[in-house]
Amino acid sequence: MLETEEAGLTRAWVVHPDIKDIKARRLPSFALSEAVSLADALPGLEVAGSEVVPLPKVKAGTLFGTGKIAELKTRLHDAKVELVLIDGPVTPVQQRNLEKEWGVKILDRTGLILEIFSDRAATREGVLQVELAALSYQRTRLVRAWTHLERQRGGLGFVGGPGETQIEADRRAIDEAIVRIRRQLEKTVKTRELHRAARAKVPYPVVALVGYTNAGKSTLFNRLTGAEVLVKDMLFATLDPTMRSVELPDGLEIIMSDTVGFISDLPTQLVAAFRATLEEVLSADLILHVRDISHPESEGQARDVRAIMADLGVDKDVPVLEVWNKSDQLKPEPLETATNKVDRDDALFLTSAVTGAGIDALLDAVSGLLRAGSTTEVIDLGFADGKARAWLFGQEVVDAEEQTETGFKLTVTWKPTQKGQFEKL
């Protein structure tokens, strides 16, 4: 304990409430494991223990029953715990009452993810989005009687929460801060739109990597692009999107985009922040859905990813390839099963970003899909259509050009998106 105190670490205890009257989408043991991984992803925390707490019924004022509260109080005291992370939603009243009873700080799942995002956000817009989400979250936690924890709160990180900052800031101050941040975001959005317009002029298709957090997207991105994106066995190791140009084996040039990983039960306050970082997904020509096929709940994670993409408004017409990554971590029998499934489905690919297995087949499929959507047409332009002609050459879609008595006859090979852009000129 002495070493922990010297290192300045906060001792934490992770609790996953297993509510019996709510059908769980994930096994409690896996949910608890993910919650512990989230805690490990936050600097300054030392997880002293974790447990699944069966809940026959949720208590409106305290979440847990009196017997379980007393049992946990003893356990937390013996472990010298300062922070309890509850993997699920906790109302302000429940939070206040549990903090009074246990004498520790409480963070629910939303608060913990906000802490991680605030620690990782690097871009100006990302910082503003997380700050806005945190303020919206704090606004719902304005419950009186925080003074008994004044010294204990406010020291963990960005969300901090009531302690000194909450006592000093009333709802009006938070509302004013929210309005101010929204104005700043409006300016950054305009800048982002200019960047998007500039990227639209680049005649390369965009391929976006998406997937559950820690599925190996960044490792795969590094192998494909030769980049040096941070790779770590940790949830939300990277937050900000990264883009690199890649030349496929057949010579086709593309832009590859690595994005932040998804997670189940994503806090509603962070949907806007995800929308900002996933801008490249919304405009992608092809999406690679990277899955950790070695994870016991890979299918459930895939459902969460699909649901979030639908909520974000990803076009259903955009082709999606599933990349079953981390095949090197499969045992022989599951590996054979996965291989048989992949062999029967052209939209599935079994890969290992670490060993490189399956990468060549994936790249060939990417080339085929991107080229398959292109069509060759002949366009007649008048001498006055200089802008349209310049745009076509700028997109590098012109195969041949012939001057006529009235203008130019151009043979172009383009994608449907480029054709649509041309028709709007």
Side-chain angles (χ1 to χ4, degrees):
M1 180 62 188
L2 181 60
E3 293 179 357
T4 300
E5 289 178 344
E6 288 178 351
L9 298 178
T10 299
R11 289 178 66 82
W13 196 275
V14 182
V15 175
H16 174 75
D18 182 17
I19 304 173
K20 297 304 179 185
D21 58 352
I22 296 179
K23 185 178 180 181
R25 293 180 299 158
R26 300 176 296 162
L27 290 174
S29 57
F30 291 133
L32 178 65
S33 176
E34 181 177 277
V36 171
S37 296
L38 281 171
D40 287 337
L42 189 63
L45 284 188
E46 177 194 41
V47 179
S50 61
E51 60 185 293
V52 174
V53 176
L55 271 186
K57 187 178 180 181
V58 174
K59 299 293 182 180
T62 56
L63 185 62
F64 307 106
T66 53
K68 180 57 67 174
I69 288 177
E71 177 188 332
L72 285 170
K73 182 176 182 179
T74 301
R75 199 170 301 153
L76 299 175
H77 180 268
D78 292 344
K80 296 181 172 58
V81 169
E82 306 162 76
L83 170 70
V84 174
L85 303 170
I86 298 178
D87 184 36
V90 179
T91 69
V93 172
Q94 290 169 346
Q95 181 177 354
R96 179 192 63 191
N97 290 338
L98 288 174
E99 287 184 330
K100 278 184 177 180
E101 187 65 34
W102 291 338
V104 299
K105 179 180 177 180
I106 302 289
L107 267 184
D108 64 3
R109 184 180 177 87
T110 298
L112 176 58
I113 295 176
L114 280 169
E115 290 272 11
I116 296 171
F117 268 56
S118 67
D119 180 69
R120 306 280 168 75
T123 63
R124 173 63 174 165
E125 183 173 14
V127 171
L128 288 173
Q129 290 284 14
V130 174
E131 187 175 351
L132 178 62
L135 286 170
S136 300
Y137 172 77
Q138 282 184 340
R139 195 180 188 281
T140 68
R141 324 304 288 182
L142 287 178
V143 180
R144 293 192 178 278
W146 292 111
T147 51
H148 64 291
L149 290 172
E150 181 171 349
R151 293 183 180 180
Q152 291 174 268
R153 298 187 65 86
L156 176 62
F158 178 75
V159 174
E164 296 174 359
T165 56
Q166 277 287 310
I167 291 170
E168 295 169 359
D170 58 12
R171 183 169 278 107
R172 183 184 303 171
I174 290 181
D175 288 342
E176 290 174 352
I178 288 175
V179 170
R180 185 177 66 253
I181 292 174
R182 282 178 176 162
R183 287 173 180 165
Q184 291 176 293
L185 276 172
E186 287 176 2
K187 296 178 181 178
T188 60
V189 167
K190 290 178 181 178
T191 302
R192 186 154 47 89
E193 288 174 349
L194 292 174
H195 291 166
R196 188 190 304 121
R199 282 196 301 273
K201 297 179 181 178
V202 179
Y204 303 131
V206 175
V207 177
L209 299 178
V210 302
Y212 207 81
T213 184
N214 212 30
K217 294 186 311 305
S218 294
T219 305
L220 181 61
F221 181 81
N222 288 348
R223 174 169 283 275
L224 296 177
T225 66
E228 297 181 356
V229 175
L230 172 65
V231 173
K232 198 169 184 181
D233 185 18
M234 178 175 68
L235 300 188
F236 298 120
T238 53
L239 277 188
D240 293 303
T242 305
M243 303 183 72
R244 293 288 188 277
S245 63
V246 179
E247 183 174 337
L248 298 180
D250 67 349
L252 178 65
E253 286 196 63
I254 65 171
I255 293 178
M256 185 77 70
S257 173
D258 184 23
T259 62
V260 61
F262 295 159
I263 195 167
S264 63
D265 302 321
L266 179 68
T268 55
Q269 292 94 337
L270 277 174
V271 171
F274 263 75
R275 188 180 299 277
T277 59
L278 292 172
E279 174 186 306
E280 303 310 326
V281 178
L282 298 177
S283 59
D285 297 282
L286 174 64
I287 294 174
L288 301 184
H289 176 185
V290 184
R291 290 174 52 178
D292 177 1
I293 198 61
S294 68
H295 195 284
E297 293 207 319
S298 179
E299 186 55 45
Q301 293 178 348
R303 284 196 300 270
D304 288 327
V305 170
R306 296 185 195 111
I308 294 174
M309 284 201 294
D311 290 342
L312 288 168
V314 175
D315 192 340
K316 294 180 181 179
D317 294 331
V318 176
V320 178
L321 297 180
E322 275 201 9
V323 182
W324 290 7
N325 195 34
K326 300 191 181 182
S327 62
D328 57 296
Q329 297 184 16
L330 289 175
K331 294 181 178 179
E333 187 174 340
L335 177 60
E336 182 180 358
T337 301
T339 302
N340 291 335
K341 288 182 179 179
V342 166
D343 289 341
R344 295 193 299 269
D345 193 332
D346 292 338
L348 299 180
F349 295 87
L350 188 63
T351 67
S352 168
V354 173
T355 66
I359 299 296
D360 290 341
L362 173 62
L363 293 180
D364 288 342
V366 169
S367 294
L369 265 175
L370 293 176
R371 290 190 183 278
S374 300
T375 57
T376 300
E377 300 180 31
V378 176
I379 301 174
D380 289 312
L381 296 178
F383 289 114
D385 298 325
K387 180 180 178 182
R389 180 171 173 268
W391 186 89
L392 290 170
F393 277 98
Q395 292 287 309
E396 296 186 5
V397 297
V398 179
D399 298 326
E401 181 186 41
E402 178 185 345
Q403 186 169 334
T404 65
E405 294 181 0
T406 58
F408 301 93
K409 179 179 289 186
L410 294 91
T411 303
V412 300
T413 300
W414 53 11
K415 297 176 297 181
T417 53
Q418 291 172 316
K419 182 177 180 179
Q421 292 172 357
F422 175 77
E423 290 173 349
K424 293 178 182 178
L425 292 177

